């Protein structure tokens, strides 16, 4: 049977689950946990493939990679080995049947017409299951490596607007067209085939600045925010989600809001908390964490020793992987269901050892989410 791929079906990831659950960061070594534990994720291709097949079979809705070009160093060289995300997505889409797989594109590093065609190729391989995460970049070292100068912060999003408009034209225009912009000059552009089903891949962005957020609200189908996890109350999350959705409505757009988090789910609360402390705190790769803090201008010389220690601890425990969901299947399921009740459309989670931990999560947490009324499968 030939699949249809309306924008509504694409955004719903072809299923009726109210709360979409995805996997975040599995294309990068160590995933979302800067830890030295030996079971940390290597992100090898055989492991990525096994993970995607297992997740697809179990009803996980999507996989979201991270476009990272240069590792952070430290004892484990956190994110030292990373797969390019569009080619990674294409391989996983070929090996799966149901889930959406995102490719992440740095607009300033990819020519828009090469990106448009690479994304169309992956979208046809997945019969309409490709998603796109559009990022403008923030990591100076990566841009230096490419010999590309970072634009001033807000101008990055002006460029991204022109870039995305060109990509969308390549996906929809059937006649040759020109782009005559502030940044791009493209002549007599012709691009076939169009995306699968004559629609286009869903597009997400996760800008945290006001400019980044407004770009997402104007252009994207989904907005990922790290700050609407269950860190605060249900009411707090609901307020944040409503605020984003109502801002999008000003642009006449209905946007899905997602968040990210790390999951450590075990038989008992004690066991889950012990493993969290063992893997995320006691065995943290502090030199990689300090390097990441330094890239954000957080150094021992800019804060008092106590403040710096608190930031270091917070970054390891909460910020890299997102809010930690640590506990029994009941506890984790309750917290995830709470996100849905706050209006979130989904969450992309990470595990220390994705392949080792996903079966327990799928066997124990997903059925509870069905019983709690936020998923069908
Ligand atoms: C869920 C999520 C995924 C992201 N993925 C990437 C990525 O793959 N590559 C990247 O360079 N930045 C990524 N980012 C960073 C954002 O795109 C953005 O640059 C950052 O939040 C700073 O926001 P700003 O650009 O509005 O200043 C991600 C952020 C989040 C919350």
């Amino acid at each position: 049977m030939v699949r249809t791929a309306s924008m509504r079906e694409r955004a719903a990831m072809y299923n009726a689950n109210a709360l979409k659950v995805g996997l975040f960061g599995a294309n990068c070594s160590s995933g979302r946990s800067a830890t030295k534990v030996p079971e940390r994720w290597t992100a090898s291709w055989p492991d990525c493939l096994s993970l995607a097949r297992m997740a697809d079979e179990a009803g996980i809705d999507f996989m979201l990679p991270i476009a990272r070009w240069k590792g952070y160093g430290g004892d484990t060289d956190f994110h030292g080995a990373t797969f390019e995300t569009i080619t990674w997505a294409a391989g996983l889409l070929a090996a799966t049947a149901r889930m959406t797989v995102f490719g992440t594109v740095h607009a300033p590093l990819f020519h828009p017409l090469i990106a448009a065609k690479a994304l169309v190729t992956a979208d046809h391989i997945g019969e309409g299951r490709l998603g796109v995460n559009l990022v403008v970049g923030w990591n100076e070292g990566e841009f230096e490596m490419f010999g590309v100068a970072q634009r001033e912060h807000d101008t990055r999003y002006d460029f991204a607007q022109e870039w995305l408009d060109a990509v969308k034209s390549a996906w929809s225009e059937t006649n040759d067209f020109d782009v005559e912009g502030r940044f791009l000059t493209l002549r007599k552009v012709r691009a076939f085939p169009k995306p699968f089903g004559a629609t286009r891949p869903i597009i997400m962005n996760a800008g945290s600045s006001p400019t980044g957020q407004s770009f997402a609200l104007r252009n994207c189908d989904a907005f990922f925010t790290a700050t609407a996890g269950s860190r605060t109350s249900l009411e707090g999350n609901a307020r944040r989600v409503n605020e984003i959705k109502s801002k999008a409505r000003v642009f006449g757009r209905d946007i899905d809001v997602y968040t990210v988090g790390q999951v450590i789910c075990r038989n008992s609360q004690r066991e889950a908390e012990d493993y969290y402390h063992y893997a995320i705190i006691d065995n943290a790769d502090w030199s990689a964490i300090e390097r990441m803090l330094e890239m954000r201008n957080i150094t021992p010389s800019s804060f008092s020793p106590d403040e710096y220690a608190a930031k270091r601890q917070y970054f390891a425990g909460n910020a890299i992987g997102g809010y930690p969901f640590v506990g029994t299947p009941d506890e984790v399921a309750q917290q995830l269901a709470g996100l849905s009740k706050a209006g979130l459309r989904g969450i992309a989670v990470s595990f220390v050892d994705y392949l080792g931990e996903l079966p327990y999560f799928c066997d124990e947490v997903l059925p509870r989410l069905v019983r709690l009324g936020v998923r069908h499968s």
Side-chain angles (χ1 to χ4, degrees):
M1 199 179 76
V2 178
R3 183 203 283 277
T4 58
S6 69
M7 286 316 293
R8 184 183 286 273
E9 287 170 307
R10 284 179 180 267
M13 299 178 180
Y14 305 96
N15 66 52
N17 293 327
L19 182 76
K20 311 294 178 196
V21 177
L23 301 176
F24 186 29
N27 67 311
C28 299
S29 59
S30 292
R32 302 284 296 163
S33 312
T35 173
K36 294 191 276 198
V37 296
E39 65 272 29
R40 68 181 182 273
W41 188 240
T42 66
S44 70
W45 178 249
D47 283 358
C48 287
L49 194 57
S50 301
L51 181 70
R53 287 183 169 142
M54 180 192 285
D56 198 47
E57 190 67 26
I60 292 289
D61 303 293
F62 68 97
M63 289 180 76
L64 175 64
I66 301 167
R68 186 84 303 125
W69 301 98
K70 190 175 190 180
Y72 293 96
D75 295 333
T76 60
D77 192 14
F78 182 61
H79 287 186
T82 59
F83 281 122
E84 188 286 315
T85 65
I86 306 177
T87 39
W88 180 83
L92 297 186
L93 286 165
T96 52
R98 300 194 290 183
M99 65 160 64
T100 292
V101 185
F102 284 84
T104 300
V105 194
H106 274 87
L109 302 180
F110 282 64
H111 189 284
L113 298 183
I114 295 180
K117 205 172 257 301
L119 294 165
V120 161
T121 307
D123 192 48
H124 277 256
I125 292 171
E127 299 188 323
R129 291 182 292 121
L130 178 81
V132 180
N133 178 13
L134 179 56
V135 302
V136 300
W138 57 270
N139 185 330
E140 298 290 341
E142 288 185 331
F143 276 64
E144 185 183 52
M145 184 169 98
F146 280 86
V148 174
Q150 282 266 42
R151 295 184 173 86
E152 180 276 320
H153 181 275
D154 289 2
T155 314
R156 292 176 203 166
Y157 283 100
D158 295 339
F159 174 81
Q161 186 67 59
E162 224 174 277
W163 187 96
L164 182 59
D165 290 343
V167 168
K168 283 183 172 171
S169 296
W171 285 347
S172 61
E173 290 287 343
T174 47
N175 295 320
D176 291 5
F177 66 95
D178 291 341
V179 173
E180 191 67 67
R182 181 172 152 208
F183 306 99
L184 298 171
T185 305
L186 314 175
R187 297 261 184 267
K188 295 182 184 143
V189 178
R190 190 179 300 171
F192 294 95
K194 301 306 177 193
F196 185 83
T199 48
R200 61 159 176 78
I202 51 169
I203 301 170
M204 62 155 281
N205 174 268
S208 55
S209 64
T211 311
Q213 184 174 317
S214 128
F215 174 86
L217 302 186
R218 274 183 281 118
N219 294 289
C220 298
D221 308 291
F223 177 63
F224 274 66
T225 169
T227 56
S230 75
R231 198 183 322 277
T232 54
S233 61
L234 178 65
E235 293 73 35
N237 288 336
R239 220 176 304 120
R240 170 97 178 109
V241 173
N242 283 334
E243 180 192 299
I244 295 166
K245 280 176 165 287
S246 54
K247 278 190 192 157
R249 278 194 287 273
V250 173
F251 299 109
R253 311 198 71 259
D254 186 17
I255 201 159
D256 285 335
V257 185
Y258 284 74
T259 192
V260 293
Q262 52 181 317
V263 170
I264 294 179
C265 188
R266 298 290 188 275
N267 260 324
S268 72
Q269 190 68 28
R270 176 75 194 272
E271 212 184 314
E273 280 171 15
D274 283 353
Y275 187 75
Y276 172 80
H277 281 281
Y278 161 75
I280 306 297
I281 307 296
D282 298 345
N283 281 291
D285 181 350
W286 291 113
S287 43
I289 290 163
E290 283 160 13
R291 172 87 193 95
M292 287 186 266
L293 287 171
E294 193 187 316
M295 290 164 87
R296 289 163 174 79
N297 295 321
I298 300 171
T299 60
S301 58
S302 47
F303 290 92
S304 73
D306 285 353
E307 279 173 332
Y308 183 71
K311 285 187 183 295
R312 200 169 160 266
Q313 186 88 0
Y314 179 81
F315 200 69
N318 296 271
I320 301 174
Y323 180 84
F325 294 84
V326 179
T328 60
D330 279 334
E331 177 63 26
V332 171
Q334 283 292 347
Q335 290 195 24
L336 294 180
L339 299 181
S340 180
K341 296 196 171 76
L344 281 153
R345 183 67 153 137
I347 180 164
V349 301
S350 59
F351 298 91
V352 171
D353 171 11
Y354 295 79
L355 257 184
E357 297 178 64
L358 188 67
Y360 186 67
F361 178 83
C362 291
D363 289 348
E364 299 296 333
V365 178
L366 293 186
R368 283 171 168 80
L369 292 176
V370 174
R371 292 201 284 280
L372 289 165
V374 298
R375 287 179 62 88
H376 284 262
S377 61

